[in-house]
Amino acid sequence: VTTQWPGRSPEEVEREIIEEQEDVLKNISGLYRMTAKAVEGRADIQLEFDVGTDIKSVRQEVSDSLREVREYPDDVDEPVIEEGEGGAESPVAWLLLQTTTPEFKVQTLGDPVEDRIKPYLERVKGSNGKGVSEVRVYGGREREVHIDLIPQAIAQRGLTFGQLRDALTGQNVNTSAGSLKEGRLDISIRLTEQLDDLEQIRNLVVAYDDAGGPIRIRDIARVSLGYEKQRSFVRSRGRYALALPVYRETGANVIQIMEGIRERVKEVNRDVLPLLARQVQIEQGLPAPPELELTLVYEATDYIYDALDLVQNRLTVGGVLAVLVLLLFLRSIRPTPIIALAIPISCRRTFLAQ
């Protein structure tokens, strides 16, 4: 469970996030061990379960438990739940999404990649039913609403920044409201009143003037949809990019996964990216759709195939040397081929038996 709280110290993260989450997660069924780590701007909680636990049902239970956290600080991101052992392993592949259109910023594709490409890649499975456990996205900027205040308008109406903050937080709520016992049932109650579009924010009432008329956000600020401040970036060969590391589930066949990923990359470049480029052109008012390409820049199978080639070479060299030694000791050409044929046959039968 990963929770982002940008700019906060580890002590604040532990006090305001980890302790609250631990209280609701500690009673999950099948929990074997819980380990928490607080770093600057992020809280990480790793949950380990007993062997044989159904991870799908446990994931839902973890999600439900996190909703019972009473209250998070204002600028805390929604907790992200990741299943499997992807975080403990090295990625089996790295993908890069880049553009050759100079006037387009590929970092603005963070949300579309999370919503459309990442789930598509995570559905890759092998013959044993195990496949990709997680795909992460680095280098993108999430979309966010910008409220640019007009100082003169605020001063004329005698408002404070605190009133504006209280209006936004008080009317943009998604929190637990406790539980209700109904016979043998425990019913969880949530209070949901979230703002869905810019017009709702513009019409939000901050206060009332002396005549009783409402003062709305549109009267004191400009509301627009933008992107979060860039705190990190990915560059490859002098160009900005989005990096997508791919992690596998425990027991998944790496070679089969990589075959599936290669096919998915071709499909994304052929079907998904052209539609995404046209959507971006309309949203950002570009003269033409940006040229987008998803490329596979690293795969773990390179080392697997190198190891297999090395084994084959060593077997060949070892077989040739064995034949030469036999010929040297037997000093006869006729029996040497018979014994030489037995060497590869016995090796193959050994591998087949294993």
Side-chain angles (χ1 to χ4, degrees):
V1 179
T2 303
T3 309
Q4 302 283 349
W5 193 14
R8 300 294 178 164
S9 67
E11 291 78 11
E12 292 177 293
V13 170
E14 180 182 11
R15 183 177 64 251
E16 300 292 339
I17 297 179
I18 289 182
E19 291 180 359
E20 297 290 337
Q21 291 180 343
E22 285 178 334
D23 286 341
V24 300
L25 293 174
K26 63 185 179 182
N27 295 322
I28 292 178
S29 59
L31 182 62
Y32 172 72
R33 181 186 292 119
M34 179 166 56
T35 307
K37 180 175 67 174
V39 298
E40 184 174 354
R42 190 179 77 248
D44 293 318
I45 297 181
Q46 182 175 347
L47 306 172
E48 299 178 47
F49 295 91
D50 295 331
V51 176
T53 302
D54 185 2
I55 294 299
K56 299 296 182 183
S57 62
V58 164
R59 179 190 176 103
Q60 184 61 46
E61 189 174 352
V62 170
S63 178
D64 294 340
S65 298
L66 288 174
R67 293 193 182 97
E68 297 176 8
V69 174
R70 290 172 296 179
E71 187 178 5
Y72 287 113
D74 295 336
D75 49 350
V76 173
D77 293 344
E78 193 76 16
V80 177
I81 304 172
E82 301 165 358
E83 65 181 80
E85 298 185 3
E89 298 181 357
S90 299
V92 297
W94 279 86
L95 307 175
L96 285 183
L97 178 63
Q98 291 183 296
T99 179
T100 56
T101 307
E103 63 272 14
F104 176 67
K105 295 182 179 179
V106 73
Q107 304 98 305
T108 59
L109 294 179
D111 286 339
V113 170
E114 289 271 2
D115 297 337
R116 299 170 65 175
I117 298 179
K118 174 183 174 180
Y120 192 62
L121 295 172
E122 288 178 338
R123 290 196 290 269
V124 172
K125 298 293 182 183
S127 59
N128 61 353
K130 296 184 178 294
V132 175
S133 67
E134 178 191 2
V135 177
R136 301 178 184 176
V137 181
Y138 296 128
R141 297 168 61 189
E142 295 183 3
R143 306 198 78 169
E144 64 182 14
V145 175
H146 292 171
I147 301 178
D148 300 317
L149 303 179
I150 305 173
Q152 298 87 347
I154 294 178
Q156 289 172 358
R157 291 166 174 81
L159 299 178
T160 64
F161 296 120
Q163 288 176 285
L164 177 61
R165 181 197 61 216
D166 294 341
L168 286 170
T169 56
Q171 301 184 57
N172 186 36
V173 179
N174 185 3
T175 186
S176 173
S179 60
L180 177 67
K181 289 187 177 296
E182 185 70 26
R184 292 181 298 174
L185 301 177
D186 287 335
I187 303 173
S188 298
I189 302 174
R190 292 194 63 78
L191 179 62
T192 304
E193 188 181 7
Q194 289 183 303
L195 301 172
D196 295 329
D197 56 47
L198 298 182
E199 202 58 35
Q200 285 183 322
I201 299 176
R202 294 189 182 102
N203 292 327
L204 200 64
V205 176
V206 179
Y208 292 90
D209 57 22
D210 296 336
I215 302 175
R216 306 181 187 275
I217 287 183
R218 66 187 179 193
D219 300 323
I220 60 173
R222 302 180 187 90
V223 181
S224 61
L225 188 61
Y227 296 91
E228 67 175 358
K229 181 180 179 181
Q230 185 169 341
R231 297 183 175 89
S232 61
F233 61 88
V234 176
R235 286 175 66 91
S236 174
R237 297 182 179 180
R239 291 189 296 165
Y240 285 102
L242 296 185
L244 290 80
V246 180
Y247 297 87
R248 69 181 179 94
E249 290 181 303
T250 302
N253 188 300
V254 178
I255 295 178
Q256 292 179 352
I257 289 177
M258 289 311 306
E259 291 176 355
I261 290 174
R262 293 190 199 97
E263 289 299 319
R264 291 297 170 94
V265 169
K266 293 178 182 177
E267 294 171 5
V268 167
N269 285 321
R270 184 185 67 237
D271 303 328
V272 180
L273 291 184
L275 296 176
L276 182 58
R278 284 194 288 271
Q279 178 184 342
V280 168
Q281 178 192 11
I282 296 172
E283 291 180 352
Q284 301 188 13
L286 299 175
E291 294 289 336
L292 302 174
E293 183 181 15
L294 184 67
T295 56
L296 179 63
V297 295
Y298 164 80
E299 54 179 300
T301 52
D302 289 340
Y303 299 100
I304 296 175
Y305 289 129
D306 288 343
L308 291 174
D309 291 340
L310 182 63
V311 171
Q312 291 176 352
N313 292 334
R314 293 295 182 266
L315 286 174
T316 302
V317 172
V320 172
L321 290 176
V323 171
L324 293 176
V325 171
L326 284 172
L327 185 61
L328 180 64
F329 277 92
L330 296 177
R331 298 180 181 275
S332 175
I333 298 178
R334 181 172 298 177
T336 302
I338 299 174
I339 302 176
L341 287 174
I343 295 175
I345 293 174
S346 60
C347 289
R348 288 181 179 273
R349 292 183 66 181
T350 302
F351 281 118
L352 289 174
Q354 290 178 350

